[in-house]
mmCIF file of all heavy atoms in Angstrom:
data_model
loop_
_atom_site.group_PDB
_atom_site.id
_atom_site.type_symbol
_atom_site.label_atom_id
_atom_site.label_comp_id
_atom_site.label_asym_id
_atom_site.label_seq_id
_atom_site.Cartn_x
_atom_site.Cartn_y
_atom_site.Cartn_z
ATOM 1 N N GLN A 1 11.537 23.027 14.115
ATOM 2 C CA GLN A 1 12.836 22.426 14.426
ATOM 3 C C GLN A 1 13.035 21.166 13.588
ATOM 4 O O GLN A 1 12.151 20.315 13.513
ATOM 5 C CB GLN A 1 12.914 22.093 15.917
ATOM 6 C CG GLN A 1 12.920 23.311 16.819
ATOM 7 C CD GLN A 1 12.795 22.952 18.290
ATOM 8 O OE1 GLN A 1 12.359 21.862 18.650
ATOM 9 N NE2 GLN A 1 13.161 23.885 19.148
ATOM 10 N N ASN A 2 14.214 21.071 12.957
ATOM 11 C CA ASN A 2 14.478 19.917 12.085
ATOM 12 C C ASN A 2 15.153 18.800 12.874
ATOM 13 O O ASN A 2 16.196 18.274 12.490
ATOM 14 C CB ASN A 2 15.339 20.335 10.888
ATOM 15 C CG ASN A 2 16.651 20.982 11.303
ATOM 16 O OD1 ASN A 2 16.879 21.221 12.484
ATOM 17 N ND2 ASN A 2 17.515 21.246 10.339
ATOM 18 N N THR A 3 14.536 18.437 13.991
ATOM 19 C CA THR A 3 15.104 17.466 14.916
ATOM 20 C C THR A 3 14.221 16.231 15.021
ATOM 21 O O THR A 3 13.068 16.223 14.603
ATOM 22 C CB THR A 3 15.264 18.101 16.307
ATOM 23 O OG1 THR A 3 13.985 18.632 16.721
ATOM 24 C CG2 THR A 3 16.285 19.241 16.280
ATOM 25 N N GLY A 4 14.775 15.195 15.615
ATOM 26 C CA GLY A 4 14.046 13.960 15.815
ATOM 27 C C GLY A 4 15.014 12.822 16.071
ATOM 28 O O GLY A 4 16.219 12.961 15.886
ATOM 29 N N ILE A 5 14.473 11.707 16.514
ATOM 30 C CA ILE A 5 15.258 10.483 16.709
ATOM 31 C C ILE A 5 14.795 9.471 15.671
ATOM 32 O O ILE A 5 13.604 9.162 15.579
ATOM 33 C CB ILE A 5 15.064 9.921 18.119
ATOM 34 C CG1 ILE A 5 15.642 10.892 19.171
ATOM 35 C CG2 ILE A 5 15.725 8.548 18.252
ATOM 36 C CD1 ILE A 5 15.287 10.522 20.602
ATOM 37 N N VAL A 6 15.745 8.970 14.887
ATOM 38 C CA VAL A 6 15.460 7.953 13.879
ATOM 39 C C VAL A 6 16.244 6.690 14.221
ATOM 40 O O VAL A 6 17.469 6.737 14.399
ATOM 41 C CB VAL A 6 15.839 8.433 12.467
ATOM 42 C CG1 VAL A 6 15.598 7.320 11.447
ATOM 43 C CG2 VAL A 6 15.055 9.691 12.095
ATOM 44 N N ILE A 7 15.548 5.588 14.315
ATOM 45 C CA ILE A 7 16.177 4.279 14.531
ATOM 46 C C ILE A 7 15.971 3.475 13.260
ATOM 47 O O ILE A 7 14.831 3.196 12.862
ATOM 48 C CB ILE A 7 15.556 3.572 15.745
ATOM 49 C CG1 ILE A 7 15.789 4.395 17.022
ATOM 50 C CG2 ILE A 7 16.117 2.165 15.895
ATOM 51 C CD1 ILE A 7 15.040 3.884 18.239
ATOM 52 N N GLN A 8 17.076 3.128 12.590
ATOM 53 C CA GLN A 8 16.996 2.458 11.294
ATOM 54 C C GLN A 8 17.877 1.210 11.262
ATOM 55 O O GLN A 8 19.009 1.219 11.754
ATOM 56 C CB GLN A 8 17.444 3.407 10.178
ATOM 57 C CG GLN A 8 17.317 2.790 8.786
ATOM 58 C CD GLN A 8 18.014 3.586 7.702
ATOM 59 O OE1 GLN A 8 18.913 4.372 7.989
ATOM 60 N NE2 GLN A 8 17.623 3.385 6.455
ATOM 61 N N ARG A 9 17.342 0.145 10.673
ATOM 62 C CA ARG A 9 18.094 -1.101 10.456
ATOM 63 C C ARG A 9 18.735 -1.622 11.739
ATOM 64 O O ARG A 9 19.868 -2.114 11.740
ATOM 65 C CB ARG A 9 19.173 -0.898 9.385
ATOM 66 C CG ARG A 9 18.645 -0.521 8.002
ATOM 67 C CD ARG A 9 19.792 -0.252 7.037
ATOM 68 N NE ARG A 9 19.324 0.108 5.717
ATOM 69 C CZ ARG A 9 19.157 -0.734 4.698
ATOM 70 N NH1 ARG A 9 19.420 -2.017 4.876
ATOM 71 N NH2 ARG A 9 18.727 -0.298 3.526
ATOM 72 N N SER A 10 18.029 -1.477 12.837
ATOM 73 C CA SER A 10 18.567 -1.840 14.143
ATOM 74 C C SER A 10 17.777 -2.997 14.746
ATOM 75 O O SER A 10 16.902 -3.566 14.105
ATOM 76 C CB SER A 10 18.540 -0.610 15.063
ATOM 77 O OG SER A 10 19.385 0.408 14.572
ATOM 78 N N THR A 11 18.086 -3.337 15.985
ATOM 79 C CA THR A 11 17.305 -4.309 16.739
ATOM 80 C C THR A 11 16.899 -3.671 18.064
ATOM 81 O O THR A 11 17.679 -2.952 18.687
ATOM 82 C CB THR A 11 18.087 -5.600 17.011
ATOM 83 O OG1 THR A 11 19.276 -5.287 17.750
ATOM 84 C CG2 THR A 11 18.482 -6.286 15.715
ATOM 85 N N ILE A 12 15.671 -3.930 18.474
ATOM 86 C CA ILE A 12 15.176 -3.466 19.760
ATOM 87 C C ILE A 12 14.741 -4.695 20.540
ATOM 88 O O ILE A 12 13.839 -5.424 20.123
ATOM 89 C CB ILE A 12 14.010 -2.481 19.590
ATOM 90 C CG1 ILE A 12 14.479 -1.215 18.867
ATOM 91 C CG2 ILE A 12 13.414 -2.122 20.948
ATOM 92 C CD1 ILE A 12 13.360 -0.240 18.537
ATOM 93 N N GLY A 13 15.407 -4.922 21.657
ATOM 94 C CA GLY A 13 15.129 -6.119 22.444
ATOM 95 C C GLY A 13 15.303 -5.868 23.924
ATOM 96 O O GLY A 13 15.212 -4.738 24.396
ATOM 97 N N ALA A 14 15.562 -6.939 24.676
ATOM 98 C CA ALA A 14 15.697 -6.870 26.125
ATOM 99 C C ALA A 14 17.023 -7.474 26.552
ATOM 100 O O ALA A 14 17.532 -8.407 25.922
ATOM 101 C CB ALA A 14 14.547 -7.611 26.800
ATOM 102 N N THR A 15 17.580 -6.934 27.615
ATOM 103 C CA THR A 15 18.751 -7.549 28.225
ATOM 104 C C THR A 15 18.308 -8.810 28.965
ATOM 105 O O THR A 15 17.118 -9.010 29.238
ATOM 106 C CB THR A 15 19.440 -6.588 29.202
ATOM 107 O OG1 THR A 15 18.476 -6.157 30.179
ATOM 108 C CG2 THR A 15 20.001 -5.373 28.471
ATOM 109 N N SER A 16 19.258 -9.651 29.317
ATOM 110 C CA SER A 16 18.915 -10.937 29.938
ATOM 111 C C SER A 16 18.201 -10.763 31.272
ATOM 112 O O SER A 16 17.311 -11.551 31.616
ATOM 113 C CB SER A 16 20.180 -11.783 30.119
ATOM 114 O OG SER A 16 21.137 -11.097 30.905
ATOM 115 N N ASP A 17 18.546 -9.712 32.032
ATOM 116 C CA ASP A 17 17.884 -9.524 33.325
ATOM 117 C C ASP A 17 16.416 -9.156 33.158
ATOM 118 O O ASP A 17 15.582 -9.508 33.997
ATOM 119 C CB ASP A 17 18.623 -8.477 34.166
ATOM 120 C CG ASP A 17 18.609 -7.081 33.566
ATOM 121 O OD1 ASP A 17 18.541 -6.972 32.324
ATOM 122 O OD2 ASP A 17 18.677 -6.093 34.322
ATOM 123 N N LEU A 18 16.079 -8.463 32.089
ATOM 124 C CA LEU A 18 14.676 -8.145 31.820
ATOM 125 C C LEU A 18 13.956 -9.338 31.210
ATOM 126 O O LEU A 18 12.781 -9.592 31.541
ATOM 127 C CB LEU A 18 14.566 -6.927 30.895
ATOM 128 C CG LEU A 18 13.140 -6.529 30.490
ATOM 129 C CD1 LEU A 18 12.273 -6.228 31.712
ATOM 130 C CD2 LEU A 18 13.163 -5.339 29.548
ATOM 131 N N GLN A 19 14.604 -10.077 30.341
ATOM 132 C CA GLN A 19 13.963 -11.225 29.705
ATOM 133 C C GLN A 19 13.404 -12.194 30.736
ATOM 134 O O GLN A 19 12.333 -12.766 30.551
ATOM 135 C CB GLN A 19 14.960 -11.943 28.799
ATOM 136 C CG GLN A 19 15.266 -11.211 27.507
ATOM 137 C CD GLN A 19 16.323 -11.897 26.680
ATOM 138 O OE1 GLN A 19 17.074 -12.746 27.178
ATOM 139 N NE2 GLN A 19 16.413 -11.540 25.416
ATOM 140 N N ALA A 20 14.113 -12.351 31.835
ATOM 141 C CA ALA A 20 13.702 -13.309 32.859
ATOM 142 C C ALA A 20 12.411 -12.914 33.555
ATOM 143 O O ALA A 20 11.702 -13.767 34.108
ATOM 144 C CB ALA A 20 14.821 -13.464 33.891
ATOM 145 N N VAL A 21 12.083 -11.617 33.539
ATOM 146 C CA VAL A 21 10.881 -11.120 34.241
ATOM 147 C C VAL A 21 10.052 -10.226 33.330
ATOM 148 O O VAL A 21 9.308 -9.359 33.799
ATOM 149 C CB VAL A 21 11.287 -10.352 35.524
ATOM 150 C CG1 VAL A 21 11.876 -11.292 36.556
ATOM 151 C CG2 VAL A 21 12.263 -9.225 35.203
ATOM 152 N N GLN A 22 10.148 -10.448 32.052
ATOM 153 C CA GLN A 22 9.559 -9.532 31.069
ATOM 154 C C GLN A 22 8.061 -9.354 31.256
ATOM 155 O O GLN A 22 7.522 -8.266 31.016
ATOM 156 C CB GLN A 22 9.859 -10.066 29.664
ATOM 157 C CG GLN A 22 9.535 -9.109 28.546
ATOM 158 C CD GLN A 22 10.094 -9.604 27.219
ATOM 159 O OE1 GLN A 22 11.306 -9.752 27.062
ATOM 160 N NE2 GLN A 22 9.220 -9.897 26.277
ATOM 161 N N ALA A 23 7.380 -10.388 31.727
ATOM 162 C CA ALA A 23 5.932 -10.301 31.908
ATOM 163 C C ALA A 23 5.542 -9.302 32.998
ATOM 164 O O ALA A 23 4.383 -8.851 33.045
ATOM 165 C CB ALA A 23 5.371 -11.682 32.246
ATOM 166 N N ASN A 24 6.476 -8.916 33.834
ATOM 167 C CA ASN A 24 6.177 -8.018 34.956
ATOM 168 C C ASN A 24 6.415 -6.544 34.639
ATOM 169 O O ASN A 24 6.109 -5.678 35.474
ATOM 170 C CB ASN A 24 7.021 -8.402 36.170
ATOM 171 C CG ASN A 24 6.757 -9.811 36.646
ATOM 172 O OD1 ASN A 24 5.626 -10.289 36.599
ATOM 173 N ND2 ASN A 24 7.798 -10.497 37.082
ATOM 174 N N PHE A 25 6.972 -6.252 33.471
ATOM 175 C CA PHE A 25 7.307 -4.875 33.125
ATOM 176 C C PHE A 25 6.884 -4.589 31.690
ATOM 177 O O PHE A 25 7.055 -5.424 30.801
ATOM 178 C CB PHE A 25 8.819 -4.629 33.258
ATOM 179 C CG PHE A 25 9.342 -4.812 34.651
ATOM 180 C CD1 PHE A 25 9.894 -6.028 35.040
ATOM 181 C CD2 PHE A 25 9.275 -3.781 35.573
ATOM 182 C CE1 PHE A 25 10.376 -6.209 36.331
ATOM 183 C CE2 PHE A 25 9.757 -3.944 36.859
ATOM 184 C CZ PHE A 25 10.307 -5.164 37.245
ATOM 185 N N SER A 26 6.354 -3.401 31.460
ATOM 186 C CA SER A 26 5.959 -2.996 30.111
ATOM 187 C C SER A 26 7.037 -2.109 29.511
ATOM 188 O O SER A 26 7.603 -1.251 30.191
ATOM 189 C CB SER A 26 4.631 -2.230 30.147
ATOM 190 O OG SER A 26 3.583 -3.071 30.589
ATOM 191 N N SER A 27 7.306 -2.305 28.232
ATOM 192 C CA SER A 27 8.293 -1.502 27.509
ATOM 193 C C SER A 27 7.644 -0.942 26.247
ATOM 194 O O SER A 27 6.855 -1.632 25.589
ATOM 195 C CB SER A 27 9.516 -2.344 27.139
ATOM 196 O OG SER A 27 10.161 -2.850 28.294
#
């Protein structure tokens, strides 16, 4: 299958609600 997910030239981060408790959750 010629399928897949490609993420290019983007940003991967956290929303503000996660940033406040980021140490308690793994991503």
Side-chain angles (χ1 to χ4, degrees):
Q1 293 172 341
N2 57 354
T3 55
I5 294 170
V6 177
I7 298 171
Q8 183 192 22
R9 298 176 180 266
S10 296
T11 59
I12 296 174
T15 56
S16 58
D17 64 331
L18 178 58
Q19 286 176 343
V21 292
Q22 191 169 298
N24 300 324
F25 298 95
S26 295
S27 299

